[in-house]
C-alpha cells in the first residue's frame, strides 16, 4: 500500500470564497507525489471555515498518514504549531514537515523551538517532498535528500540546497489532476512562472530563486485555464512575481488566451517599465481587469535605499495609460522603509490618491516586513533599522517589530492608522451606514494619533449623523470649521444640506424612510432571501423593486399587509427571477425627510425621534443602528430593564466615545461583583483600561476573573511589571486568555527565551485541550 501524505492549508485571514484559500503550493506538491505513486489529501483551515479537530482526527485515523505538511508564513506558523501538536497527540509517529517562505531561510535553531516539527523543507517543495517520501517509506537515509533540515541526536543536519526542476512542466498540474476543491470559488490562482531576477532589499524571492525566472509552457497554462473554465471559473489570479517579465512570452501567452480561453478576466502584477500602451491593449483584450504595480515609496531617495529605482513620472504615466485602457490599477506600497521619514510616508499616500488609485485590495499599504532571507533582515543595522529587544523564538523573523533611524514606533503606528482611515471600505461603510460602531471605535480609540487628520473627524461626524447623535455631530463640525477651514473634504461636509428623518404617522411617499418587517413565500413555502426584520429603506432611491415599493406606500404605520409581486425575469437571484412571491409586510414606522440647510441648525432636541419598538432582542440581532437609537432614547426615559440591554448599550456608548454616558450606566447597575466585572471588561475592550481598573477597585480584585482583567488592563497601560506580577500569582488551568497574556509579557519584557517557549507551549496546550474536549 503506497504511503499517504496529508497537507493542511492554513489561512486564517481569508474566507473560503477567496482564491487565497486555494492551496496551490500544497496541491502542486501532492500532484508530484501522486504522479510517483504516493497518495494524499488536503484539508483547509480558513477564517470562516475553520478546520474541525474531529475532521483531522478522522483523517489521521482513517488514512494513517506517513507525514503531514504545512506551508508556513509569519502569520500562520503558530496555528501550524497547534495543528502539529494536535496531530502528534493523536499519532505520535506521524512526521511533521513545514516549508514555504517562512522556512526557506529560517535559522536551524527554529527547529529546536518547535518540538512538534520534524523537518524544515528548504526551497521548492516538489522534489524535496518526493525525496523525503521515498526515504521515509523505504527507510533509507534521510540525510541523502537535498533541501531538508532536521535534528539527529540533538545535532542539526542540513542536507544542502535543492534547486527544483528547470522545466516547470515536469511537475504535474494539480488542477488537471482534479486535486483542488473549487467549492465556493469563482476565481482561481494560477502560476505561469517562478522566480525574480531583481534585487529589492525587502524581498526574499530573488535569493530563493537564485535570481532566475523559469516558466510553465503556454500549452500547460492554456490547458489549465480551459479545464478551470469548464468547472465554472471565469476569473483568474496570476500570482507571478512579474507577469510580463518576458515581452515575447507575454505576447505569446496573451494571444493564446484571447484565442483559446475567451470570455475570462484576470488579475496580474508587473513592473511598470515592462509595459506600454500596446501591451496594455493586448492585456485588456485578453481579459485583464486589474494590473498591480510596485511603488513601495514615492520618494526617490528611499527607493534608492531599498534598491528599487523608479521613475515616478513614468509610473504615473503608466497608471494613466492602464486606466485609459479600461484596466483597474492597484499599487503596492509600504511604510517604515529605511531612511523614510513620516512626511515622506505621507507623500506615498498622496501619490496614490493623486493618481486616482482606489485604496482597496493590494493598494492598501502596510508596514515593511523583515522576513528571513531578505537583505533588510540579514543586516538591519546597515539599513538604519532597530529591531525591538523582545524575546522572539527563532522561527519568527523580526517582521514589523522594529523602528528606524528616521521613523519612531509611534510614527509607524500613526502611518498605519492613517492608511486604514483612508481605505475605500471605511468611507463606504460609513456612507452605507454599515459597521458604524466598529468604525467609530477605531477613530475614538486612536483619537490622539489621528488628531491632525481631518478625515477622521469628518467620518466620525457622519457616523454621529447616521445615528441621530446631532449634538455630537455638531461638536465635530465646529471643531472641523475651526481647525481645518481650508480642507476640501471639510468644506464638502459643512456646506450641507443634511438629510434627517422624523417619525411620522402618515403613509410613506417618495423620499420617506420606512422601517418594516417582510416575509416572502412561493406556493406557501417561505423563501429566506425575501425575509427581513427591522429593514430600513428610503423610497425612490431605487433600492427596492418598484412594485414592492408601491405596496409599501399603501401601508400605514403599525399596520400589516399581504400582497403579491412578480420578480423581473432578469433578477439576480435565480430562485426568484420571474417568480410570483406573496409578501407579508409589517410597517413599524414611516419617517418624513427633514432637510437642514446649515450644520449650525442641527438641533438635537428638535430632530430627536421617539421609536415605539419594544423588541430589543430582535433589534439587536437585525439592526444594531436602530437598536442603539431605540435603547438610547429609552435609557434617557429610564425604560431599559434588561441587563443585556444595559451592558450592550454601555458597549455602544464607549465605541462612540460617550464615556460619561457609559459611566452613568454603570452607576445604575446593582452592586453585583459579576456584573461590575463584566462592565470592567467592556471598558477595557473599548480602550478604557483606567476606567476598568477603577471599577475593579470598586468591588475588589479577589476573584481570578477580576485579577485577569486587571492584568490585561495593566498591560494595556504599559505597566508591564505590575501585569507580570499579577499573572504570576494567578492559577487558571488551561485558560487561553491568561496563557496568551503571559506569552505577550514574556516577549515585551524580553524574558529569557526559555521562559517564552515554556509559556508558548502552555498556550498551545490550553488551546489543544479545548480541541480535544470539543
Amino acid at each position: 500500500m503506497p504511503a499517504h501524505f496529508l497537507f493542511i492549508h492554513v489561512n486564517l485571514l481569508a474566507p473560503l470564497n477567496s482564491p487565497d484559500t486555494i492551496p496551490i503550493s500544497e496541491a502542486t506538491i501532492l500532484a508530484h507525489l501522486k504522479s510517483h505513486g504516493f497518495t494524499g489529501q488536503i484539508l483547509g483551515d480558513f477564517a470562516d471555515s475553520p478546520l474541525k479537530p474531529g475532521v483531522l482526527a478522522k483523517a489521521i485515523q482513517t488514512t494513517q498518514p506517513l507525514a503531514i505538511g504545512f506551508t508556513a508564513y509569519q502569520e500562520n506558523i503558530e496555528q501550524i504549531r497547534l495543528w502539529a501538536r494536535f496531530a502528534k497527540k493523536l499519532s505520535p509517529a506521524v512526521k511533521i514537515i513545514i516549508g514555504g517562505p517562512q522556512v526557506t531561510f529560517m535559522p536551524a535553531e527554529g527547529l529546536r523551538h518547535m518540538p512538534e516539527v520534524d523537518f524544515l523543507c528548504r526551497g521548492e517543495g516538489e522534489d524535496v517532498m518526493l525525496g523525503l517520501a521515498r526515504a521515509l517509506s523505504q527507510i533509507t537515509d534521510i540525510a541523502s535528500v537535498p533541501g531538508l533540515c532536521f535534528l539527529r541526536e540533538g545535532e542539526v543536519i542540513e542536507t544542502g540546497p535543492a534547486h527544483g526542476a528547470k522545466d516547470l512542466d515536469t511537475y504535474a498540474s494539480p488542477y488537471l489532476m482534479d486535486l483542488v476543491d473549487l467549492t465556493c470559488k469563482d476565481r482561481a490562482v494560477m502560476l505561469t512562472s517562478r522566480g525574480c531576477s531583481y534585487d529589492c532589499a525587502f524581498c526574499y524571492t530573488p535569493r530563493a530563486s537564485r535570481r532566475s525566472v523559469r516558466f510553465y509552457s503556454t500549452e500547460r497554462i492554456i490547458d489549465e485555464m480551459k479545464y478551470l473554465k469548464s468547472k465554472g471559473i471565469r476569473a483568474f489570479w496570476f500570482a507571478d512575481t512579474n507577469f510580463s517579465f518576458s515581452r515575447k512570452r507575454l505576447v505569446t501567452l496573451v494571444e493564446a488566451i484571447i484565442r483559446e480561453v475567451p470570455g475570462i478576466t484576470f488579475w496580474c502584477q508587473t513592473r511598470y517599465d515592462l509595459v506600454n500602451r500596446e501591451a496594455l491593449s493586448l492585456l485588456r483584450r485578453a481579459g485583464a481587469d486589474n494590473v498591480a504595480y510596485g511603488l513601495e515609496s514615492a520618494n526617490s531617495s528611499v527607493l534608492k535605499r531599498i534598491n528599487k529605482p523608479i521613475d515616478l513620472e513614468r509610473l504615473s504615466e503608466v497608471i494613466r495609460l492602464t486606466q485609459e485602457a479600461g484596466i483597474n490599477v492597484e499599487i503596492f506600497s509600504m511604510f517604515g522603509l529605511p531612511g523614510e521619514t513620516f512626511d515622506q510616508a505621507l507623500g506615498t499616500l498622496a501619490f496614490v490618491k493623486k493618481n486616482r488609485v482606489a485604496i482597496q485590495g493590494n493598494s492598501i499599504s502596510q508596514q515593511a516586513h523583515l522576513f528571513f532571507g531578505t537583505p533588510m533582515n540579514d543586516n538591519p543595522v546597515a539599513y538604519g533599522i532597530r529591531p525591538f529587544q523582545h524575546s522572539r523564538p527563532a522561527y519568527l523573523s523580526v517582521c514589523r517589530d522594529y523602528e528606524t533611524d528616521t521613523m519612531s514606533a509611534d510614527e509607524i503606528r500613526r502611518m498605519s492608522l492613517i492608511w486604514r482611515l483612508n481605505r475605500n471600505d471605511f468611507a463606504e461603510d460609513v456612507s452605507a451606514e454599515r459597521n458604524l460602531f466598529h468604525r467609530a471605535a477605531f477613530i475614538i480609540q486612536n483619537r490622539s494619533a489621528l488628531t491632525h487628520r481631518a478625515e477622521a473627524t469628518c467620518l466620525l461626524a457622519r457616523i454621529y449623523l447616521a445615528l441621530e447623535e446631532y449634538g455630537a455631530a455638531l461638536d465635530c463640525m465646529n471643531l472641523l470649521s475651526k481647525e481645518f477651514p481650508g480642507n476640501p473634504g471639510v468644506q464638502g461636509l459643512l456646506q450641507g444640506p443634511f438629510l434627517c428623518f422624523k417619525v411620522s404617522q402618515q403613509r410613506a411617499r417618495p423620499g420617506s424612510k420606512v422601517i418594516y418587517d417582510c416575509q416572502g413565500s412561493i406556493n406557501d413555502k417561505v423563501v429566506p432571501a425575501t425575509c427581513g426584520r427591522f429593514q430600513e429603506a428610503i423610497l425612490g432611491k431605487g433600492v427596492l423593486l418598484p412594485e414592492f415599493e408601491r405596496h409599501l406606500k399603501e401601508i400605514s404605520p403599525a399596520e400589516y399587509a399581504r400582497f403579491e409581486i412578480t420578480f423581473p425575469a432578469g433578477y439576480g437571484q435565480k430562485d426568484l427571477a420571474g417568480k410570483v412571491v406573496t409578501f407579508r409586510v409589517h410597517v413599524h414606522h414611516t419617517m418624513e425627510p427633514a432637510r437642514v440647510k446649515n450644520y449650525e441648525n442641527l438641533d438635537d432636541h428638535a430632530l430627536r425621534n421617539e421609536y415605539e419598538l419594544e423588541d430589543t432582542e430582535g433589534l439587536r440581532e437585525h439592526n444594531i443602528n436602530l437598536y442603539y437609537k431605540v435603547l438610547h432614547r429609552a435609557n434617557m426615559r429610564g425604560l431599559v430593564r434588561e441587563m443585556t440591554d444595559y451592558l450592550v448599550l454601555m458597549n455602544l456608548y464607549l465605541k462612540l466615545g460617550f464615556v460619561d454616558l457609559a459611566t452613568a450606566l454603570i452607576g445604575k447597575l446593582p452592586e453585583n461583583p459579576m456584573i461590575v466585572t463584566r462592565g470592567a471588561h467592556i471598558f477595557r475592550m473599548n480602550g478604557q483600561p483606567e476606567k476598568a481598573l477603577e471599577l475593579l477597585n470598586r468591588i475588589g480584585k479577589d476573584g481570578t476573573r477580576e485579577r485577569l482583567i486587571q492584568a490585561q488592563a495593566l498591560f494595556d497601560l504599559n505597566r508591564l511589571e505590575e501585569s507580570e506580577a499579577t499573572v504570576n500569582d494567578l492559577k487558571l488551568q488551561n485558560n487561553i486568555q491568561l496563557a496568551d497574556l503571559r506569552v505577550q509579557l514574556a516577549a515585551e519584557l524580553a524574558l529569557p527565551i526559555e521562559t517564552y517557549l515554556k509559556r508558548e507551549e502552555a498556550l498551545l496546550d490550553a488551546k489543544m485541550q479545548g480541541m480535544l474536549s470539543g
Side-chain angles (χ1 to χ4, degrees):
M1 182 177 177
H4 190 82
F5 286 79
L6 182 62
F7 294 89
I8 303 177
H9 184 54
V10 179
N11 188 334
L12 301 183
L13 301 177
L16 183 60
N17 64 359
S18 167
D20 283 337
T21 60
I22 291 179
I24 194 66
S25 298
E26 297 93 332
T28 305
I29 294 171
L30 179 56
H32 195 55
L33 289 172
K34 282 200 166 190
S35 67
H36 287 81
F38 296 94
T39 64
Q41 68 185 110
I42 304 171
L43 300 176
D45 186 24
F46 310 130
D48 61 345
S49 182
L51 177 60
K52 296 180 180 178
V55 172
L56 177 57
K58 184 176 180 180
I60 291 175
Q61 181 182 14
T62 304
T63 64
Q64 294 294 303
L66 188 62
I68 302 177
F70 299 87
T71 298
Y73 298 86
Q74 182 92 359
E75 69 267 13
N76 74 353
I77 196 164
E78 299 294 2
Q79 183 74 359
I80 286 172
R81 286 196 64 193
L82 177 60
W83 283 121
R85 205 174 186 85
F86 180 75
K88 287 277 193 180
K89 182 79 172 179
L90 299 176
S91 177
V94 71
K95 301 300 182 184
I96 302 296
I97 306 146
I98 65 171
Q102 187 73 5
V103 174
T104 299
F105 300 108
M106 180 189 290
E109 189 67 15
L111 199 54
R112 298 186 189 277
H113 292 174
M114 296 183 289
E116 54 284 305
V117 175
D118 297 291
F119 298 99
L120 302 182
C121 175
R122 308 289 205 186
E124 294 179 4
E126 290 86 357
D127 291 330
V128 179
M129 286 295 292
L130 179 58
L132 180 60
R134 287 170 170 166
L136 290 174
S137 58
Q138 298 169 11
I139 318 178
T140 57
D141 188 7
I142 296 169
S144 65
V145 179
L148 290 175
C149 174
F150 60 96
L151 297 177
R152 176 175 286 170
E153 297 180 355
E155 295 297 320
V156 171
I157 306 295
E158 293 270 15
T159 63
H163 300 307
K166 291 183 178 180
D167 178 7
L168 293 181
D169 284 1
T170 301
Y171 302 135
S173 166
Y175 288 127
L176 299 179
M177 290 181 70
D178 200 24
L179 297 180
V180 178
D181 182 2
L182 297 172
T183 303
C184 302
K185 302 293 192 297
D186 57 14
R187 173 177 290 190
V189 61
M190 297 277 296
L191 280 167
T192 75
S193 65
R194 295 185 187 184
C196 180
S197 63
Y198 295 94
D199 195 23
C200 300
F202 55 84
C203 186
Y204 106 115
T205 303
R207 180 177 169 188
S209 64
R210 294 179 297 159
R211 292 178 179 78
S212 65
V213 181
R214 294 165 293 148
F215 302 97
Y216 289 96
S217 67
T218 298
E219 293 75 18
R220 157 75 172 263
I221 299 162
I222 296 299
D223 285 346
E224 288 188 326
M225 294 182 73
K226 284 182 175 178
Y227 168 82
L228 289 165
K229 189 177 178 183
S230 74
K231 294 289 187 179
I233 299 295
R234 295 290 188 275
F236 297 85
W237 170 27
F238 289 115
D240 305 49
T241 303
N242 195 337
F243 188 64
S244 63
F245 177 79
S246 165
R247 180 71 61 83
K248 180 180 179 181
R249 177 180 176 277
L250 175 69
V251 172
T252 300
L253 174 59
V254 172
E255 287 181 342
I257 293 174
I258 294 171
R259 183 175 60 253
E260 300 188 47
V261 202
I264 57 94
T265 60
F266 64 87
W267 179 101
C268 64
Q269 62 177 312
T270 185
R271 288 177 65 103
Y272 76 100
D273 51 356
L274 295 177
V275 296
N276 55 23
R277 190 186 298 272
E278 292 71 29
L280 290 168
S281 176
L282 193 62
L283 284 168
R284 186 71 190 104
R285 284 175 53 208
D289 57 358
N290 280 276
V291 173
Y293 300 108
L295 167 66
E296 319 321 336
S297 171
N299 183 271
S300 56
S301 63
V302 174
L303 291 169
K304 184 177 181 181
R305 190 86 180 265
I306 61 174
N307 200 29
K308 186 167 183 174
I310 289 178
D311 182 336
L312 294 169
E313 290 187 6
R314 171 60 182 159
L315 174 57
S316 290
E317 180 185 0
V318 168
I319 292 171
R320 177 180 59 79
L321 291 175
T322 307
Q323 293 167 337
E324 288 177 354
I327 302 173
N328 183 58
V329 173
E330 294 184 343
I331 294 292
F332 292 105
S333 68
M334 294 183 281
F335 52 87
L337 288 163
E340 181 182 57
T341 66
F342 181 77
D343 287 341
Q344 289 169 343
L346 284 175
T348 301
L349 173 60
F351 179 92
V352 173
K353 286 186 167 184
K354 180 182 177 182
N355 285 279
R356 297 182 294 110
V357 175
I359 303 176
Q360 60 188 15
N362 293 289
S363 299
I364 297 170
S365 191
Q366 61 180 341
Q367 181 184 347
H369 290 37
L370 270 63
F371 288 137
F372 296 130
T374 65
M376 282 165 48
N377 186 79
D378 291 343
N379 190 1
V381 174
Y383 289 92
I385 295 172
R386 299 194 296 266
F388 298 135
Q389 297 304 306
H390 293 160
S391 295
R392 188 181 299 111
Y395 57 80
L396 293 179
S397 66
V398 171
C399 196
R400 295 170 295 180
D401 203 16
Y402 70 87
E403 60 184 3
T404 72
D405 290 343
T406 48
M407 279 185 79
S408 67
D410 181 63
E411 288 176 320
I412 290 174
R413 175 178 172 272
R414 284 176 57 204
M415 200 65 237
S416 175
L417 297 173
I418 290 167
W419 272 99
R420 285 183 62 186
L421 192 68
N422 281 273
R423 283 167 46 161
N424 278 35
D425 60 355
F426 206 120
E428 288 167 359
D429 273 359
V430 174
S431 177
E433 300 186 8
R434 184 176 56 227
N435 298 323
L436 294 184
F437 295 97
H438 172 71
R439 297 305 189 182
F442 173 82
I443 298 172
I444 293 298
Q445 292 181 29
N446 298 292
R447 200 69 184 270
S448 60
L450 298 172
T451 301
H452 302 296
R453 304 301 303 183
E455 63 266 42
T457 307
C458 282
L459 287 165
L460 191 59
R462 294 186 187 278
I463 291 171
Y464 288 148
L465 287 171
L467 294 172
E468 301 180 7
E469 290 291 354
Y470 299 111
L474 183 59
D475 289 342
C476 285
M477 287 186 262
N478 283 330
L479 177 65
L480 288 166
S481 177
K482 178 182 177 182
E483 299 292 335
F484 307 98
N487 185 288
V490 171
Q491 293 304 312
L493 171 64
L494 297 184
Q495 69 183 6
F498 302 91
L499 180 61
C500 307
F501 290 92
K502 286 288 294 177
V503 169
S504 168
Q505 300 303 315
Q506 305 301 315
R507 288 181 180 179
R509 56 186 176 83
S512 298
K513 180 187 285 189
V514 181
I515 301 170
Y516 64 96
D517 299 338
C518 63
Q519 176 180 288
S521 59
I522 299 175
N523 298 326
D524 294 325
K525 184 177 181 179
V526 173
V527 182
T530 66
C531 300
R533 296 203 61 202
F534 300 108
Q535 302 291 295
E536 294 184 79
I538 299 175
L539 303 189
K541 285 282 189 177
V543 175
L544 303 176
L545 290 176
E547 194 176 353
F548 185 91
E549 187 169 298
R550 179 174 60 81
H551 284 286
L552 273 186
K553 294 176 186 175
E554 298 172 357
I555 308 173
S556 297
E559 285 188 353
Y560 288 84
R562 191 180 183 89
F563 55 83
E564 289 183 351
I565 71 168
T566 302
F567 277 73
Y571 193 71
Q573 294 189 38
K574 293 181 180 179
D575 293 341
L576 294 172
K579 300 289 180 65
V580 176
V581 179
T582 301
F583 276 96
R584 185 174 186 271
V585 175
H586 175 219
V587 171
H588 293 285
H589 284 295
T590 59
M591 304 181 72
E592 291 298 304
R595 293 185 179 274
V596 178
K597 186 175 181 180
N598 300 312
Y599 77 88
E600 295 93 341
N601 296 328
L602 285 168
D603 188 326
D604 186 50
H605 180 75
L607 294 169
R608 180 175 301 175
N609 283 303
E610 299 290 343
Y611 296 94
E612 296 179 3
L613 300 168
E614 297 182 358
D615 182 9
T616 57
E617 184 177 349
L619 281 164
R620 187 166 64 245
E621 180 181 356
H622 297 284
N623 189 333
I624 192 69
N625 296 347
L626 189 55
Y627 170 82
Y628 171 78
K629 296 173 190 176
V630 170
L631 218 59
H632 175 46
R633 299 309 181 194
N635 176 62
M636 296 301 99
R637 300 197 310 269
L639 294 181
V640 180
R641 298 184 182 91
E642 293 294 329
M643 190 57 61
T644 299
D645 289 339
Y646 266 113
L647 295 173
V648 175
L649 181 58
M650 183 194 309
N651 184 40
L652 298 181
Y653 277 154
L654 290 171
K655 291 186 185 307
L656 295 176
F658 301 156
V659 178
D660 289 345
L661 290 177
T663 303
L665 261 190
I666 201 78
K668 296 180 181 180
L669 293 176
E671 287 293 329
N672 181 314
M674 182 179 297
I675 294 174
V676 176
T677 298
R678 287 181 64 186
H681 172 71
I682 291 170
F683 271 84
R684 190 193 77 81
M685 293 299 292
N686 282 286
Q688 297 288 330
E690 302 96 336
K691 287 283 186 179
L693 290 175
E694 286 179 21
L695 287 173
L696 293 174
N697 286 332
R698 174 172 139 187
I699 60 169
K701 299 181 289 293
D702 296 330
T704 53
R705 175 66 174 154
E706 289 81 2
R707 289 161 66 198
L708 175 56
I709 296 172
Q710 178 196 17
Q712 292 169 324
L714 290 168
F715 182 88
D716 296 341
L717 292 167
N718 204 34
R719 292 159 60 178
L720 302 180
E721 289 80 5
E722 294 176 73
S723 181
E724 172 73 5
T726 303
V727 300
N728 281 339
D729 199 32
L730 270 175
K731 299 293 186 292
L732 280 172
Q733 188 174 5
N734 292 324
N735 183 285
I736 294 174
Q737 286 185 319
L738 176 58
D740 183 57
L741 180 57
R742 282 176 167 157
V743 171
Q744 293 182 64
L745 283 164
E748 293 289 329
L749 290 169
L751 300 181
I753 191 61
E754 294 79 13
T755 301
Y756 179 98
L757 294 171
K758 184 178 179 181
R759 292 184 177 188
E760 178 65 27
E761 293 204 2
L763 173 60
L764 292 173
D765 285 341
K767 291 180 177 179
M768 191 173 66
Q769 189 60 41
M771 294 163 65
L772 290 168
S773 61

